[in-house]
Amino acid sequence: MIKVDIFQKNGNIAKVVMDGHSDYSDSNDIVCASASSVAFACLNGIEKVINVKFGYETGDGYLFFVLPDDLDKEKQAMVNVLTNTFSLFIKELESQYPAYVKVTELEV
């Protein structure tokens, strides 16, 4: 199962931990591929399009990132578009495949 913990601070997503494999399929795991794709699209957008430097770690079935809390309003708004899109997508994936994806939202 893919477990996704989304941590919010002051209404903004501040940190995400995504861990595990869905084990939906041995050959064409569309659930894992979907989760990975949306996560890396979000990360790449924040880092390479918005030019925000932040900490992240990746590994086999693992993604962790934490965003800076001192972004100016314009950059924060752009980051929010990407992180909220990630959140909506991953929660939709959970609703379609509840045996394979579990999302938890927490306030920090």
Side-chain angles (χ1 to χ4, degrees):
M1 174 176 281
I2 299 171
K3 295 179 182 174
V4 183
D5 294 329
I6 299 172
F7 297 85
Q8 293 197 18
K9 182 177 181 181
N10 300 323
N12 302 313
I13 293 174
K15 179 171 89 170
V16 171
V17 180
M18 190 162 79
D19 194 20
H21 293 282
S22 72
D23 296 322
Y24 176 78
S25 170
D26 288 336
S27 59
N28 294 314
D29 195 333
I30 60 170
V31 177
C32 253
S34 297
S36 294
S37 294
V38 72
F40 282 99
C42 179
L43 290 180
N44 285 326
I46 294 168
E47 184 176 47
K48 295 179 177 155
V49 176
I50 303 172
N51 295 314
V52 171
K53 303 301 176 215
F54 63 101
Y56 63 89
E57 293 178 33
T58 62
D60 183 29
Y62 179 76
L63 168 68
F64 164 85
F65 69 87
V66 61
L67 297 166
D69 58 3
D70 61 349
L71 297 174
D72 65 45
K73 281 186 175 186
E74 183 181 345
K75 282 198 177 193
Q76 186 65 63
M78 290 187 285
V79 166
N80 285 350
V81 168
L82 292 174
T83 57
N84 289 335
T85 300
F86 164 79
S87 179
L88 288 170
F89 186 97
I90 209 77
K91 287 188 275 187
E92 180 61 28
L93 200 60
E94 176 189 37
S95 74
Q96 292 179 21
Y97 301 96
Y100 305 98
V101 180
K102 172 67 177 154
V103 179
T104 304
E105 294 180 286
L106 305 154
E107 186 73 27
V108 293

